[in-house]
């Protein structure tokens, strides 16, 4: 089937949308259930001998350390995704994430097996990081490369929706456990395990759905022509290293603020400072995830109307405006203040997340696109989200206030905005294999046209 035939088929488009949303929801549910538990119970279960404050820092550190392995997952998935196809890597990464998550739910605690418990916990978190590093690139390319040029923004928002949905699912199930099924000590004793064990059911659903999706038409054409790169990562960094850095900074500007919520810091801060009930905070986080879902969806449509770059700039401007008020709201406004802060955060996050998939896909050439998209996203996650909760906790403990945290978030938002200004909007560019020369040039405001000639073998 040709690319054009696929893009004109509404049934195929709906199947791809469903598969990418469900798959990324499951993948990010697994990833976020860890971060939620890290903020609530892991310090006590796995790091208790270190004391409360150090235990919390170590717990948040395990959230961040997994990010260091996301580039490795992105390298592997990008290499094989550009060599053997997008669909195969989607299935492999989903299974890897699900198995690691389920095993965390079976893991003995420090009280049961001593130092081996946090070591095993960290190893399983690393497996989650490897999977997350490879999954996103495949999902967004399946969505964007199947889509018509004038609908790539909204199609690219489909896999992005899996992130707020995964966070909603993780927060909602944890709230159900802490407030209804296993409140109080029961949650600490056994209830925390249930959300991890549920991954077994979700992985089966995701596996079946992803196996039904057709391969990307762009990769199918690359394979037919035999134009896959032998080592796509080498080509990526030799010819497009500056593009990787700029695009990574764009995502870092989003992720630094995003992981204040999804990384568990804001939840713990609200519980500690305002003495709010854990379940109430998790319900508020779930509402924030719903807002994030709709703002991400809206941003995908905006990206098709006003462009990827303009949508990002609006989002970063909003982020910069709210980084000081949100902590005042959470620290002084009680539960209503927390809700208001989460709505502000989630709205700005959607604007700087919804257009990301389409923009990333449009700035990298076809034969190295999986590697480019995956590795850039992974590097951006390290620069932005990896240690953001731990850094915020350290700044809070060192200074005794949230002012330093707000300055940290403001700096990340401004860097993301500057990087956005350095990239060109490439809406509508042909993504097919026979257009690589154009794809390889003009992605930044200072790209030399000589890059295109070198890529196409004319020099």
């Amino acid at each position: 089937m040709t690319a054009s035939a696929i893009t004109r088929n509404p049934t195929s488009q709906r199947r791809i949308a469903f598969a990418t949303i469900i798959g990324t929801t499951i993948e990010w549910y697994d990833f976020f259930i860890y971060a939620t538990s890290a903020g609530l119970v892991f310090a006590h279960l796995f790091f208790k001998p270190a004391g409360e404050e150090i235990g919390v820092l170590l717990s948040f550190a395990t959230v961040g350390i997994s990010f260091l392995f996301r580039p490795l997952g992105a390298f592997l998935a990008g290499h094989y995704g550009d060599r053997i196809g997008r669909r195969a890597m989607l299935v492999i990464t989903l299974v890897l994430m699900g198995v690691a998550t389920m095993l965390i739910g079976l893991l003995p605690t420090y009280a049961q097996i001593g130092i081996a418990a946090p070591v095993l916990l960290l190893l399983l978190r690393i497996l989650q990081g490897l999977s997350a590093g490879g999954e996103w690139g495949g999902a967004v390319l399946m969505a964007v490369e199947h889509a018509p040029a004038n609908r790539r923004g909204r199609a690219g928002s489909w896999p992005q929706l899996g992130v707020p949905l995964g966070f909603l699912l993780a927060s909602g199930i944890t709230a159900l456990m802490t407030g209804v099924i296993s409140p109080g000590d029961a949650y600490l004793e056994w209830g925390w395990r249930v959300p991890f064990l549920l991954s077994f059911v979700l992985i089966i659903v995701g596996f079946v759905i992803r196996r039904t999706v057709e391969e990307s038409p762009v990769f199918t054409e690359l394979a037919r022509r035999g134009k896959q790169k032998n080592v796509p990562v080498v080509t990526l960094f030799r010819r497009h290293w500056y593009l990787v850095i700029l695009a990574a900074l764009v995502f870092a500007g989003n992720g630094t603020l995003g992981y204040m919520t999804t990384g568990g810091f804001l939840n713990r801060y609200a519980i500690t400072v305002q003495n709010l009930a854990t379940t109430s905070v998790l319900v508020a986080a779930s509402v924030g995830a719903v807002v994030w879902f709709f703002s991400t969806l809206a941003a995908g449509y905006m990206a098709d109307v006003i462009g990827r770059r303009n949508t990002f700039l609006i989002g970063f401007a909003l982020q910069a405006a709210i980084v000081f008020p949100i902590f005042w709201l959470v620290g002084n406004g009680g539960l209503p203040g927390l809700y208001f802060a989460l709505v502000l955060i989630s709205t700005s996050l959607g604007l700087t997340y919804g257009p990301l998939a389409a923009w990333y896909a449009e700035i990298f050439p076809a034969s190295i696109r999986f590697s480019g998209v995956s590795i850039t996203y992974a590097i951006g996650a390290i620069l932005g989200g990896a240690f953001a909760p731990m850094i915020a906790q350290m700044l809070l403990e060192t200074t005794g206030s949230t002012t330093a945290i707000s300055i940290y978030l403001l700096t990340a938002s401004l860097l993301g905005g500057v990087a956005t200004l350095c990239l060109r909007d490439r809406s509508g560019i042909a993504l097919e294999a026979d257009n690589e020369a154009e794809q390889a040039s003009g992605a930044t405001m200072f790209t030399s046209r000589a890059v295109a000639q070198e890529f196409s073998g004319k020099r």
Side-chain angles (χ1 to χ4, degrees):
M1 182 178 291
T2 65
S4 60
I6 293 174
T7 56
R8 292 195 192 104
N9 187 341
T11 302
S12 177
Q13 287 286 291
R14 285 192 294 269
R15 186 185 301 119
I16 293 161
F18 182 69
T20 53
I21 292 173
I22 294 297
T24 51
T25 298
I26 295 169
E27 186 91 7
W28 288 101
Y29 163 81
D30 289 349
F31 200 74
F32 288 143
I33 202 67
Y34 184 101
T36 302
S37 300
L40 296 177
V41 296
F42 280 178
H44 178 81
L45 294 173
F46 293 97
F47 304 101
K48 189 173 182 179
E52 183 177 355
E53 288 188 358
I54 300 299
V56 171
L57 287 176
L58 290 174
S59 184
F60 282 141
T62 63
V63 175
I65 286 172
S66 72
F67 282 75
L68 300 179
F69 290 84
R70 285 173 70 166
L72 178 58
F75 271 86
L76 294 172
H79 175 81
Y80 290 106
D82 283 327
R83 293 286 299 161
I84 66 175
R86 289 42 167 148
R87 188 177 69 167
M89 298 315 301
L90 283 178
V91 174
I92 291 170
T93 53
L94 181 71
V95 172
L96 178 63
M97 177 70 87
V99 170
T101 304
M102 186 176 63
L103 289 176
I104 291 173
L106 298 171
L107 199 62
T109 65
Y110 188 94
Q112 295 170 311
I113 62 171
I115 193 66
V119 171
L120 291 173
L121 179 70
L122 181 58
L123 290 175
L124 291 173
R125 180 59 175 174
I126 288 171
L127 289 180
Q128 284 191 319
L130 289 171
S131 173
E135 194 275 344
W136 186 81
V140 302
L141 292 187
M142 287 293 286
V144 174
E145 290 181 343
H146 274 96
N150 64 341
R151 294 175 60 91
R152 285 187 201 138
R154 66 197 77 177
S157 71
W158 297 335
Q160 305 297 76
L161 296 175
V163 181
L165 284 176
F167 185 55
L168 172 63
L169 194 59
S171 299
I173 289 177
T174 305
L176 186 65
M177 297 305 300
T178 60
V180 180
I181 298 175
S182 57
D185 291 340
Y187 179 72
L188 198 62
E189 291 171 4
W190 61 270
W192 69 272
R193 298 182 182 275
V194 175
F196 289 92
L197 297 176
L198 284 175
S199 183
F200 177 74
V201 177
L202 297 175
I203 192 176
I204 294 175
V205 174
F207 179 84
V208 171
I209 290 173
R210 284 195 163 175
R211 288 283 295 174
T212 65
V213 178
E214 297 162 327
E215 180 57 88
S216 159
V218 173
F219 178 79
T220 301
E221 183 63 15
L222 279 170
R224 187 185 69 80
R225 297 185 179 194
K227 296 184 71 172
Q228 305 103 305
K229 297 291 181 183
N230 290 328
V231 189
V233 173
V234 173
T235 303
L236 173 69
F237 281 101
R238 190 174 68 206
R239 294 170 177 164
H240 303 282
W241 59 269
Y242 53 88
L243 183 56
V244 171
I245 293 172
L246 287 172
L249 286 173
V250 170
F251 180 49
N254 165 279
T256 306
L257 177 62
Y259 274 90
M260 291 297 100
T261 54
T262 59
F265 173 80
L266 205 62
N267 289 356
R268 183 177 182 84
Y269 180 75
I271 293 168
T272 304
V273 173
Q274 290 275 26
N275 199 28
L276 298 175
T278 299
T279 302
S280 298
V281 171
L282 290 169
V283 171
S286 300
V287 172
V290 173
V291 176
W292 188 10
F293 174 92
F294 285 106
S295 64
T296 299
L297 184 64
Y301 279 82
M302 288 173 61
D304 283 331
V305 176
I306 66 173
R308 289 58 158 138
R309 193 168 80 149
N310 288 337
T311 306
F312 263 100
L313 291 173
I314 294 171
F316 280 129
L318 180 58
Q319 282 187 201
I322 68 172
V323 291
F324 284 95
I326 56 175
F327 286 107
W328 185 90
L329 288 167
V330 175
N332 300 279
L335 196 58
L338 176 62
Y339 273 92
F340 191 23
L342 288 171
V343 168
L344 291 174
I345 293 170
S346 300
T347 301
S348 65
L349 288 180
L351 292 172
T352 56
Y353 198 60
L356 189 69
W359 206 10
Y360 269 21
E362 289 168 339
I363 62 177
F364 290 106
S367 62
I368 59 169
R369 187 172 292 141
F370 200 134
S371 296
V373 165
S374 298
I375 292 170
T376 301
Y377 187 83
I379 294 173
I382 291 176
L383 296 176
F387 296 102
M390 188 183 75
I391 292 171
Q393 185 69 27
M394 290 175 63
L395 291 172
L396 181 63
E397 292 178 6
T398 302
T399 66
S401 77
T402 59
T403 301
I405 303 175
S406 296
I407 294 172
Y408 166 55
L409 297 178
L410 177 62
T411 302
S413 298
L414 293 176
L415 283 174
V418 170
T420 298
L421 289 171
C422 292
L423 294 172
R424 285 196 174 101
D425 196 308
R426 310 253 283 180
S427 303
I429 188 173
L431 299 182
E432 287 74 23
D434 58 1
N435 194 46
E436 284 214 286
E438 182 185 359
Q439 295 162 10
S441 66
T444 70
M445 300 301 290
F446 40 82
T447 302
S448 170
R449 292 287 172 178
V451 176
Q453 295 175 339
E454 180 185 357
F455 194 96
S456 59
K458 294 178 181 178
R459 291 186 59 185

